[in-house]
Amino acid sequence: MLSSPRVDLTSTLFLQCFMPKIKILPLTLRNKIAAGEVIERPASVVKELIENSIDAGSNEVSIDILKGGRRLIRVSDNGTGMTREDALLAFERHATSKLLHEEDLFNIRTMGFRGEALSSIASVAKIILTTCSRNSRSGTEIDIYDGRIKQVKDTASVGTTVEVQDLFSTIPARKKFLKSDRTELYHIIDTVTRTALSHSDIHFRLTIDNEETMNLPRASGLRERIMQIYGEEFLNGLEEVQAEGSGLSLHVFITSGEHFRKTRSHQMIFVNRRPVKDPSIAHAVYRAYEGILPRDEHPVFFLYLEIDPGKADFNVHPTKREIRFADKEIVYRFILASIRNAIKKTRIKYAKDFMEVPHTHTSSPSLSPYSAPVYPQDVSQSEGVSENMEFSYMPHIPYLYLGGTFLALAGKGGFTLIDQHAAHERILYEKFLKGIGLNVHRLLFPQQVKLSRNEYRIIIEHQPVLGEFGFETDDFGHESIIVRSLPVSIELSDIRGILSDIASFLLEGIPPDKSLKEALAARIACHSSVRGNKILNQEEVSKLITDLEKTDQPDQCPHGRPTRIFLSLDDLRKMFKRT
Ligand code: ADP
Ligand code: MG
C-alpha cells in the first residue's frame, strides 16, 4: 500500500498480442478489497484497535466515538507503545510484531497476528497515530490519508492512541451500507462489552458523542466484571462452574435453576479470551440441559474455554470469529460433561417435581392414562389464568392432560386437542393489543432493575409503548430503570429477565410484517402465559376455553402455531379406516 514496485505485465509481447482480460489489481485497490474482509463496519475498527491495545500489554483502554463511529473512533491505551521505526512499519500490509516463523501460526497467544488491521483501516479512513515506546523520550505522530503517510512529527505521549476519522470516506459505496447510528453504536457497545467480559484485568472506558457510556474499572475477576456490566441480580441468577481436564480448562457462568430466557441473548463463548461463534460448543451446552430446558427457552451462558494454542486454529475467519479445534470431539464431550455435572442439582429437583403425586384434581381420573399425574399444585397462585375467575357459569368439560402441555377435551361430534400455552398466549396477546381486560399491578415498592448499556438504551427509548402494556418505568440513570407497575400476568421475580428479553427482542429488530405493538404484545404474552408444564384445575381449564373462544383468532397463537385441533368422529373413522 505504501508504494511498492509493481511488475507491469502488459508490457510483455505475449500479452500485447492476446489482449489479456486478466489484470493484476493496483495496490490501493487490493488493499481496499482486503480491508473489506476485516473492516466491515465501525465496530470492526473498534475491535481491531482494542485488540492491539490488549496485545501491547495495556491495562487502561479508552474508546471515544462520534456519530456512530463514522466521524471518529479513537482508542487510547497505556501499553508498550511503538518506536518511530515500528510505527512507520505498522501500516504496511502483513506488518506484525507477533509472528515470526511458520510454527508460530499454530501457537498463537496474542489477539492479532495477521498484520492486517492497521493497513486495512488506513486504506479506508484517515488515521492519526500517536505513540511512544516505553524507553524512548519523545513520541511519534503519524498522519495517514488514503493509505499514504502525509506527515510524521515528534510528540509527547504515553502508550498509543489511534484516531480513525471519516471511516469509509474513501469508499463512498461502502459507506452507503452502514446502518443508522443507533445500529452501529449497538455493535460498538457489543464489541466493547465482549472484549471487557474476557479481559477483566483491563479498565475500559467508552464515551459516545462525549458522554460516558461505559466505565469498567479493573475487576478482581470474571465474576466482578459480569457484575459491573449486568448488575448483581443478574449475576445471582447464574451458577459458576469450573472444570479442568483433557488439557482444557473451563470457566462458565450459566443459568441456575429454571431462569431460562426467551432469546439467545447473553450467550457468549470465549476461547483463549477471544470471543468466538462456535455452534458445536453452544450445542454441547444445550445438550447438557436436555430434558429440563422447556421448548423455545434458552439458557444464559458466559463460557470461557482455555486450550493449548497448538490444538486450535484461529486462522480460519478474517476477523477470527471462528475457530477450528484439532479434536472437536474432546472439546464437545468435556463441555457437555462439565456442565451436565454442575447442573445435576437442578436436574434432580426437576425430576422430583415431575414425579410428585398430586393430592387431588384430575377431573376424570378414570380417563387418565397417568395414574399418578405429575404436576405441582400451586397453579391457583400462578399467573393470569386464575385472575378474575368467574366460576358461576363455567361449563364443566371433561378433559384429560396429555404430556403436560396438551389437553384433550371430549365434545359432541369428536374431540379437541388444545395446546394450553399457545391458547393462553392468544388470549393475553389480544388483551395486550386491545388494552381491554388488562390488569395492571402497581408495586408497593418500586423495583430497581439494572440492565446492560444496550438494553437500557432501548428500553428507555420504548418507555411510552411499554407503558401502554402496563409497564410503568422511570429512568434511574446508570443503566438502571425503576419499575412502578407491571401487567398482572407477569411475575415480579421475572422482571429483570423480561425487560432484558424485551430489550434483546427490540434490538434484534421488529419483523417487517408486524407493527411494534403487535410484536411486543406477542412477546409479552409469551412471557406471561401458562408454562407448558403447569397443570390447570377444572375451573382454570374452563376459563381458558371460554376466553379462547372470545378471541378474534382462537385457532392460532400470535406466532401462528395452532392453539387447538379438532378431530371429528368422521376424522377418526378415516384414521381407523372405517369408511
Ligand atoms: P497485528 O495485530 O495482526 O500484528 P495490526 O495491523 O493490528 O497487526 O498491527 C500491526 C503492528 O502494530 C502490531 O503487530 C504491533 O506491533 C503494532 N501495534 C499496533 N497497535 C499497537 C498498540 N496499540 N500498541 C503497540 N503496538 C501496536
Ligand atoms: Mg491487530
Side-chain angles (χ1 to χ4, degrees):
M1 160 196 58
L2 305 170
S3 83
S4 97
R6 196 175 115 223
V7 189
D8 195 356
L9 292 171
T10 47
S11 63
T12 69
L13 183 61
F14 174 82
L15 290 174
Q16 270 171 6
C17 295
F18 291 97
M19 288 299 288
K21 284 198 200 111
I22 295 179
K23 292 182 202 70
I24 305 290
L25 296 174
L27 196 63
T28 47
L29 185 51
R30 263 188 267 165
N31 280 331
K32 279 178 188 168
I33 291 171
E37 285 201 310
V38 192
I39 307 301
E40 215 180 326
R41 59 183 349 145
S44 339
V45 175
V46 174
K47 171 180 181 289
E48 294 297 336
L49 296 182
I50 310 183
E51 291 189 352
N52 281 345
S53 298
I54 295 172
D55 286 343
S58 319
N59 60 17
E60 265 171 47
V61 178
S62 296
I63 305 118
D64 302 299
I65 304 293
L66 292 180
K67 297 251 175 299
R70 288 159 227 263
R71 176 75 200 88
L72 173 83
I73 297 168
R74 181 170 47 221
V75 174
S76 310
D77 66 47
N78 64 349
T80 54
M82 284 176 264
T83 61
R84 177 161 305 184
E85 224 181 345
D86 279 342
L88 288 167
L89 275 173
F91 291 91
E92 295 280 358
R93 178 148 297 272
H94 310 304
T96 178
S97 55
K98 301 166 196 173
L99 272 190
L100 254 184
H101 308 290
E102 201 174 315
E103 312 87 83
D104 297 343
L105 192 53
F106 298 95
N107 190 21
I108 284 169
R109 291 169 198 273
T110 48
M111 303 295 280
F113 56 84
R114 294 173 190 255
E116 282 180 323
L118 290 184
S119 64
S120 295
I121 300 168
S123 71
V124 295
K126 187 178 169 199
I127 294 194
I128 301 172
L129 166 84
T130 47
T131 186
C132 184
S133 96
R134 278 179 185 163
N135 326 328
S136 25
R137 250 187 254 133
S138 101
T140 304
E141 178 185 316
I142 301 180
D143 298 3
I144 296 185
Y145 188 69
D146 205 12
R148 277 171 244 279
I149 294 180
K150 296 287 169 202
Q151 190 173 194
V152 180
K153 58 185 181 196
D154 287 344
T155 170
S157 75
V158 178
T160 302
T161 297
V162 182
E163 192 167 316
V164 177
Q165 299 175 357
D166 303 324
L167 185 63
F168 299 137
S169 53
T170 57
I171 318 186
R174 173 134 218 143
K175 206 169 171 182
K176 268 192 259 162
F177 284 99
L178 287 183
K179 301 278 191 295
S180 66
D181 275 8
R182 206 184 88 193
T183 307
E184 297 307 334
L185 286 175
Y186 164 78
H187 288 286
I188 289 172
I189 293 174
D190 192 55
T191 300
V192 177
T193 303
R194 280 172 200 268
T195 317
L197 276 170
S198 51
H199 293 86
S200 54
D201 47 349
I202 298 179
H203 182 170
F204 287 96
R205 286 192 30 210
L206 169 67
T207 73
I208 290 177
D209 296 326
N210 298 315
E211 204 184 301
E212 185 175 274
T213 305
M214 287 172 94
N215 188 355
L216 307 170
R218 279 192 284 284
S220 59
L222 298 173
R223 255 194 111 71
E224 192 184 341
R225 186 41 60 88
I226 293 177
M227 192 180 78
Q228 288 173 334
I229 298 177
Y230 300 101
E232 198 167 353
E233 196 192 333
F234 178 87
L235 183 66
N236 290 341
L238 300 178
E239 195 164 318
E240 188 171 355
V241 181
Q242 272 171 296
E244 305 262 343
S246 321
L248 301 164
S249 149
L250 183 70
H251 196 165
V252 191
F253 294 82
I254 193 157
T255 299
S256 72
E258 290 156 51
H259 304 285
F260 298 113
R261 297 295 187 93
K262 299 281 177 198
T263 68
R264 289 172 195 273
S265 61
H266 308 303
Q267 297 188 344
M268 302 201 193
I269 299 171
F270 304 90
V271 177
N272 294 1
R273 302 175 116 199
R274 198 190 288 284
V276 292
K277 286 210 168 98
D278 191 295
S280 155
I281 292 182
H283 192 265
V285 176
Y286 276 81
R287 263 292 289 288
Y289 277 98
E290 205 168 46
I292 51 176
L293 187 67
R295 190 173 54 113
D296 294 337
E297 298 201 14
H298 306 275
V300 167
F301 57 84
F302 298 87
L303 186 150
Y304 302 84
L305 181 73
E306 295 292 324
I307 184 169
D308 171 357
K311 301 227 161 81
D313 185 359
F314 288 99
N315 191 24
V316 188
H317 188 272
T319 62
K320 312 177 195 97
R321 228 178 288 152
E322 286 163 26
I323 183 172
R324 199 159 30 206
F325 294 108
D327 195 336
K328 198 164 137 182
E329 269 295 298
I330 290 185
V331 175
Y332 185 91
R333 271 186 271 127
F334 173 69
I335 292 174
L336 170 61
S338 311
I339 296 181
R340 190 170 267 176
N341 192 34
I343 59 178
K344 218 190 273 163
K345 270 187 251 126
T346 314
R347 189 176 281 282
I348 290 169
K349 184 184 164 295
Y350 178 84
K352 199 166 140 271
D353 285 353
F354 200 80
M355 298 315 289
E356 219 152 68
V357 182
H359 314 292
T360 53
H361 102 229
T362 24
S363 63
S364 33
S366 57
L367 271 174
S368 172
Y370 304 119
S371 51
V374 284
Y375 308 95
Q377 283 269 302
D378 59 349
V379 220
S380 52
Q381 281 113 46
S382 75
E383 308 103 60
V385 183
S386 48
E387 284 298 321
N388 307 324
M389 194 75 79
E390 297 153 86
F391 296 102
S392 47
Y393 62 87
M394 286 297 160
H396 271 240
I397 308 162
Y399 67 95
L400 173 68
Y401 264 105
L402 308 169
T405 316
F406 303 110
L407 285 165
L409 309 176
K412 262 195 199 140
F415 72 97
T416 308
L417 293 169
I418 293 191
D419 176 337
Q420 66 174 24
H421 177 76
H424 196 211
E425 254 180 89
R426 161 56 60 188
I427 297 166
L428 286 171
Y429 170 72
E430 294 198 7
K431 275 191 185 171
F432 279 122
L433 208 56
K434 296 174 187 164
I436 300 169
L438 184 65
N439 296 316
V440 174
H441 173 52
R442 290 211 122 260
L443 299 177
L444 203 51
F445 303 104
Q447 179 105 351
Q448 184 183 337
V449 179
K450 167 122 168 83
L451 298 168
S452 76
R453 185 68 207 176
N454 267 331
E455 292 169 342
Y456 166 78
R457 279 157 40 95
I458 198 104
I459 291 288
I460 292 296
E461 206 172 296
H462 290 86
Q463 260 176 322
V465 57
L466 288 170
E468 290 176 40
F469 291 129
F471 293 94
E472 197 192 308
T473 53
D474 280 338
D475 184 356
F476 193 61
H478 299 287
E479 287 106 65
S480 290
I481 282 170
I482 299 285
V483 180
R484 301 200 177 278
S485 76
L486 293 174
V488 180
S489 51
I490 298 264
E491 286 200 38
L492 184 60
S493 58
D494 292 339
I495 184 66
R496 192 195 179 282
I498 286 161
L499 283 179
S500 156
D501 272 348
I502 293 176
S504 344
F505 177 65
L506 290 168
L507 288 164
E508 276 162 26
I510 301 298
D513 57 327
K514 288 218 166 66
S515 73
L516 174 67
K517 265 195 96 166
E518 284 168 342
L520 265 181
R523 195 78 192 178
I524 300 170
C526 181
H527 267 292
S528 333
S529 59
V530 225
R531 283 291 178 90
N533 53 9
K534 249 174 203 157
I535 204 165
L536 306 180
N537 62 27
Q538 173 74 63
E539 283 73 26
E540 289 165 334
V541 169
S542 305
K543 166 105 174 118
L544 186 73
I545 293 158
T546 7
D547 281 356
L548 181 65
E549 203 52 59
K550 286 188 213 149
T551 61
D552 295 342
Q553 277 189 57
D555 293 316
Q556 273 189 356
C557 86
H559 306 102
R561 288 191 294 265
T563 53
R564 57 182 186 186
I565 292 169
F566 180 70
L567 288 172
S568 67
L569 291 176
D570 266 350
D571 293 331
L572 294 175
R573 275 187 209 105
K574 269 183 215 139
M575 286 158 90
F576 286 100
K577 310 220 179 297
R578 278 183 164 275
T579 47

